[in-house]
Amino acid sequence: MRNDDQAAMSATPNQAGAANSAAAARDYRISARRKESEIITSFELTPLDGAAPPPHVAGQYLTLFADIPGLGEAKRNYTISTAPNGDHLRISVKREPQGQVSRWLHDTAQIGTRLTIAPPAGAFVLPATRERPIVMVSGGVGLTPMIAMLEALAAEKASVPVHFVHCARDGAVHAFGAHVKELVAALPNARATIFYSQPRPQDRQGKDFDVAGRVTLDWLKAEIPLGTADLYVCGPLDFLRALVPALAKAGVEAGRLHYEFFGPVEDLFDEAGGATAAVPATGGTAMDYQATAEGGFTREEIGDGLIDSAADAVVASDRDGRIVMWNAGAARIFGFSEAEALGQSLDIIIPEPFRARHWEGYVETVASGKSRYGAGDLLAVPGLTRDGRRISLEFTIVLLKDAAGEVRGMASVLRDVTRRFEETRALKKELAALKGG
């Protein structure tokens, strides 16, 4: 989920793990702004130090920090809507009526406005090797990562078949229309199909858009190679609810079905009595989990109950070591709210003397896909709270892998055992004193 008043959660492939995780945020300025539609405006962001922005992969997002009067420092994640260019980053933001940051960007931020930007992250990216047809299906502002991907494909003049499919309400809110036509024309084997769900009288079919209505599974079956293509689907929750489960049922394997949605973290697969699927907030691939009828609860319901508990911390991080899940227990134990923690490096809860060793092991585990932990053993480590206190933790860890077996991140359940640790240490001291006496 991304694009205003939501924090993005996703894994980062093909990055250097600890090095990027620990990278410091940098100061940028808005170097250009452009209105893409009645509700979407693009902002080009240039580093103030004159150096190139950090490298990113088309489709990834950045974390933006803005000092907003009356709100203080706000943090939001926005898709980078341009391919890597060595000069600037770009975000294309939908103005949300209740979105404090999006309204500030649209209404107040100007060329020259300074922002702090954390390094790019995210796993909703094109395959490293271009071997299969690529189909991008987006709704609304969900086209922003697709624009970056299409720019990247055009820059490399990719020879694989490319089909860009986008649905907007009408011409007033349709962004990047002319740009998409230029990019498609630059590719040797590409086409674009634009849907308007509610075209206006002045919207011309065949010129402004191609199909009236919404993208459907039947249309996709007829128009794209479902059996061989890599499919990228991005948009609001109802858009994905209509397409992702249907595509999975139509036989699109998990390794070829990639999706990301802008909105609340909810289960996209919710058919009563059938198989359900736990859906990562972003950058997900479709992986089915069998529901259990025992007690009338599914795996997802039980999992949600445990995650929502405030007793233990449940923390998940992506390949790059950035926090993508932070439950109430984590907020209670470490003192960071969910909004403060999401998108941050795990360094915020690791005491500085232990970070180098942690990242060495983290990078090795991501690369090898194997961990010496997680076989039922409780591990003991020191932790760090928001106010700088050291605490003692016991935790278990599990690797999160995609359908191909590649590590996408890690999840841990952590328990604060500081009191027990201190009591045990005090008892040992008393016992040692007695023996010495």
Side-chain angles (χ1 to χ4, degrees):
M1 57 185 186
R2 297 191 196 161
N3 247 325
D4 204 70
D5 298 292
Q6 301 285 355
M9 302 181 182
S10 59
T12 305
N14 307 320
Q15 299 294 325
N20 197 40
S21 299
R26 292 165 61 187
D27 290 330
Y28 287 66
R29 70 179 182 90
I30 296 176
S31 52
R33 56 176 289 163
R34 181 174 55 256
K35 188 173 182 179
E36 309 289 0
S37 76
E38 287 187 358
I39 59 173
I40 296 176
T41 295
S42 288
F43 301 85
E44 289 186 6
L45 309 171
T46 303
L48 278 175
D49 58 16
H56 74 279
V57 181
Q60 291 187 311
Y61 67 89
L62 57 76
T63 302
L64 175 152
F65 300 84
D67 190 6
I68 299 177
L71 183 63
E73 185 179 74
K75 178 180 69 177
R76 297 293 186 270
N77 295 336
Y78 292 106
T79 300
I80 302 170
S81 63
T82 184
N85 55 48
D87 177 70
H88 64 270
L89 302 175
R90 182 180 70 204
I91 58 175
S92 300
V93 181
K94 177 184 177 184
R95 190 186 192 281
E96 300 285 357
Q98 304 303 317
Q100 293 175 305
V101 177
S102 72
R103 286 189 289 112
W104 177 81
L105 284 168
H106 276 251
D107 302 342
T108 305
Q110 300 296 328
I111 294 175
T113 296
R114 295 191 177 193
L115 301 165
T116 300
I117 307 292
F124 189 68
V125 297
L126 294 170
T129 57
R130 319 283 196 250
E131 298 175 345
R132 296 187 288 249
I134 294 171
V135 177
M136 293 172 275
V137 185
S138 58
V141 75
L143 91 165
T144 51
M146 310 304 196
I147 293 297
M149 292 179 187
L150 195 59
E151 286 186 354
L153 291 168
E156 68 185 53
K157 296 196 180 300
S159 59
V160 297
V162 175
H163 196 161
F164 183 96
V165 182
H166 178 64
C167 183
R169 187 188 69 214
D170 55 35
V173 298
H174 179 199
F176 292 104
H179 188 44
V180 167
K181 290 180 179 179
E182 293 172 356
L183 294 172
V184 168
L187 285 162
N189 192 10
R191 60 184 288 213
T193 303
I194 305 301
F195 285 71
Y196 281 3
S197 61
Q198 302 174 43
R200 304 168 302 170
Q202 63 266 45
D203 293 329
R204 296 163 294 175
Q205 190 166 4
K207 184 174 179 61
D208 301 315
F209 70 102
D210 302 296
V211 182
R214 299 181 183 275
V215 183
T216 65
L217 178 64
D218 287 341
W219 186 90
L220 292 171
K221 283 181 176 179
E223 298 292 334
I224 69 172
L226 283 186
T228 58
D230 277 309
L231 272 76
Y232 292 82
V233 188
C234 185
L237 184 57
D238 58 350
F239 183 80
L240 269 75
R241 278 191 186 277
L243 293 179
V244 173
L247 287 167
K249 285 186 176 182
V252 182
E253 300 93 346
R256 294 190 295 109
L257 180 54
H258 316 273
Y259 52 83
E260 182 166 70
F261 66 93
F262 294 171
V265 181
E266 294 181 38
D267 192 358
L268 299 179
F269 299 70
D270 62 350
E271 294 178 301
T276 62
V279 180
T282 59
T285 54
M287 296 177 289
D288 289 343
Y289 292 85
Q290 185 64 43
T292 174
E294 294 182 14
F297 300 107
T298 65
R299 286 174 62 99
E300 289 69 44
E301 289 171 330
I302 296 170
D304 287 345
L306 292 173
I307 291 171
D308 291 341
S309 168
D312 291 333
V314 180
V315 178
S317 55
D318 63 19
R319 284 175 57 95
D320 205 32
R322 294 191 178 278
I323 296 167
V324 299
M325 175 177 284
W326 187 263
N327 76 335
R332 180 184 66 82
I333 290 172
F334 295 104
F336 295 96
S337 69
E338 182 183 31
E340 291 173 321
L342 290 177
Q344 295 298 308
S345 165
L346 287 169
D347 281 344
I348 66 171
I349 59 173
I350 303 171
E352 195 279 331
F354 300 91
R355 290 173 186 168
R357 184 175 179 183
H358 163 84
W359 289 119
E360 181 181 353
Y362 198 97
V363 173
E364 178 183 346
T365 298
V366 168
S368 68
K370 298 179 181 179
S371 173
R372 51 187 161 172
Y373 307 127
D377 297 329
L378 278 174
L379 312 173
V381 294
L384 186 68
T385 65
R386 191 178 191 278
D387 59 9
R389 290 183 299 109
R390 287 272 192 97
I391 58 176
S392 298
L393 301 167
E394 286 184 346
F395 75 101
T396 57
I397 189 170
V398 62
L399 303 185
L400 305 175
K401 299 182 180 181
D402 62 17
E406 182 180 2
V407 175
R408 296 179 65 88
M410 305 183 199
S412 296
V413 178
L414 305 100
R415 176 165 294 178
D416 183 356
V417 294
T418 305
R419 179 178 297 179
R420 190 182 74 198
F421 180 81
E422 291 176 347
E423 290 174 350
T424 301
R425 184 168 57 181
L427 288 173
K428 286 181 178 180
K429 286 183 179 180
E430 291 179 11
L431 181 58
L434 290 172
K435 287 182 177 179

